[in-house]
Each structure stands twice: as C-alpha cells, then as structure tokens.
Amino acid sequence: MTATTLSSEQATAPVTLSLDPVTGVIDPCAKREVRRVSDLAQMFGDTDAIRREVEADDRMVYEVQYHPFLTPDSDLALGVSRILPGVVGDEYHMTKGHFHTQPDAAEIYHCLAGTGYLLLQSRDGMFEAVPWRPGTVTHFSAAWAHRVVNTGPDDLVFAASYHWNGGLDYAPIIERGFRQRIVRRDGAPVFVDEPRWAGAR
Ligand code: PAN
Ligand code: ZN
C-alpha cells in the first residue's frame, strides 16, 4: 500500500455516530433546526389557527438534527427529524415538504418511531401516500416532493439519508401544496382534497 493510498483513505475515513430511535438525538450533531408554527404558515391550511398559535406561543412542530459526512468524494448526510404529535386547526403536524433540485439527488427515509404518512408528489401531480410505522423505509428519486405527517399520539421520528448538496426547492409546495391534506375528524385521520389542485388530472 502506498503512502498516497493511505492518505486518501484517511481523508475518507469511516465515521460512526449514535442515533437514539426514540428521541431522534444524534451524537455528534453538526446542526439542529427547530421549525415552529410560524415557519409553516404557508403550509398549514387554517390561517386563523396559525395566527392564534403564533400569537400564543408559536410552538415547535418539529426539529431536525443533521450530520453531513462530507468527504472529498461524498456528500452523503444524515438528517433525523422528530415531529411532535398534534394539529394546527384540524391538520396534523407535518414537515414543510420539498423537491430536490439536483436530478440525481435521491433520498431514503427510515421511520424509527411513531405512525403517520409519507406524502410523495411529482411535479406534474402524481401523488402517493405511504402509511408509515417504525421500520418502514422508503426510497424516492428527486422527481418526488416529500412530506411526512404525524397522525399518531406520539412523536414521529425518522432518519433521512440524502445528498447534502442535493438542493432544496420549497416553492412548488408553497404555491400549490400537496394534492391532499390529512386532517383529524372524530379523532382519526382523514384525507381531504387540496382546493388548489381542483380540476387537475
Ligand atoms: C429531510 C428534511 C427534514 C425537514 O432532512 O429536510 O425532514 O423537512 P423540510 O425540509 O421539508 O422542512 C430531507 O428531506 N432532506 O432532504
Ligand atoms: Zn429531502
């Protein structure tokens, strides 16, 4: 083995971290973000409920802990999200949802705790809702916008394996949303059509 090979291996040395599947805590954690009701003001449907919540305490809806494993030849990253149980108005807590801008930036989501749905939607409006429980793993290409909705009574924790430089595009979701929202009716989740997609095929 040459010295050149050794130094290249050292540059891309394996990295191990710990992930608590119940709390979503990772160690080490390079970056943590908290998303509150105000951060999701363009995502939830009930504007009166959003205003009330923001004026009251603008509570946390979910948090994300990130660790990019950046090496000279890889931009793979881990992101662990923890979505609190609850609703804004009657709509279940959810992530904002986004597309990736790089066409080869696929992603894998692993559900670790809690129950809910992964919503997937293509730019031309193909839509899929995948029921989620601990142990569910879903791979999707950059062609699919992705949002996770917590419809259960507990925290929903999931790990994302993705490309750090994959690019995040929230604009189409802000503009038109997903084709369906998940709302609480008599204590249970119900899918309702998003009016901004009415008439679309
Ligand atoms: C995830 C998401 C994370 C938060 O790491 O970024 O769950 O969701 P929003 O970014 O939609 O608020 C991921 O999909 N990374 O690509
Ligand atoms: Zn993503």
Side-chain angles (χ1 to χ4, degrees), residues 102-118:
Q102 297 303 312
D104 56 353
E107 180 159 17
I108 304 174
Y109 270 8
H110 316 241
C111 180
L112 301 172
T115 51
Y117 290 87
L118 168 62

Side-chain angles (χ1 to χ4, degrees), residues 64-114:
V64 194
Q65 298 183 48
Y66 302 96
H67 199 86
F69 300 100
L70 299 177
T71 70
D73 51 10
S74 169
D75 74 336
L76 282 181
L78 180 74
V80 180
S81 304
R82 180 173 69 95
I83 310 175
L84 301 183
V87 287
V88 173
D90 62 2
E91 191 168 10
Y92 286 98
H93 284 180
M94 60 190 183
T95 60
K96 292 170 89 167
H98 60 260
F99 283 96
H100 296 167
T101 55
Q102 297 303 312
D104 56 353
E107 180 159 17
I108 304 174
Y109 270 8
H110 316 241
C111 180
L112 301 172

Side-chain angles (χ1 to χ4, degrees), residues 13-146:
V15 174
T16 298
L17 56 67
S18 69
L19 159 57
D20 183 323
V22 176
T23 63
V25 170
I26 60 172
D27 184 18
C29 172
K31 179 181 163 200
R32 174 176 179 262
E33 276 179 354
V34 169
R35 299 242 215 276
R36 301 182 178 280
V37 174
S38 58
D39 298 311
L40 289 139
Q42 294 168 296
M43 309 301 180
F44 287 118
D46 185 337
T47 48
D48 288 339
I50 295 164
R51 188 179 30 77
R52 280 196 304 273
E53 296 266 14
V54 173
E55 281 171 8
D57 57 356
D58 196 14
R59 64 198 165 78
M60 177 175 118
V61 177
Y62 61 99
E63 66 171 340
V64 194
Q65 298 183 48
Y66 302 96
H67 199 86
F69 300 100
L70 299 177
T71 70
D73 51 10
S74 169
D75 74 336
L76 282 181
L78 180 74
V80 180
S81 304
R82 180 173 69 95
I83 310 175
L84 301 183
V87 287
V88 173
D90 62 2
E91 191 168 10
Y92 286 98
H93 284 180
M94 60 190 183
T95 60
K96 292 170 89 167
H98 60 260
F99 283 96
H100 296 167
T101 55
Q102 297 303 312
D104 56 353
E107 180 159 17
I108 304 174
Y109 270 8
H110 316 241
C111 180
L112 301 172
T115 51
Y117 290 87
L118 168 62
L119 306 186
L120 295 163
Q121 182 166 288
S122 67
R123 289 188 186 269
D124 59 0
M126 285 166 62
F127 177 84
E128 210 175 293
V130 186
W132 255 29
R133 58 185 170 76
T136 311
V137 177
T138 308
H139 170 273
F140 45 85
S141 78
W144 295 89
H146 37 288

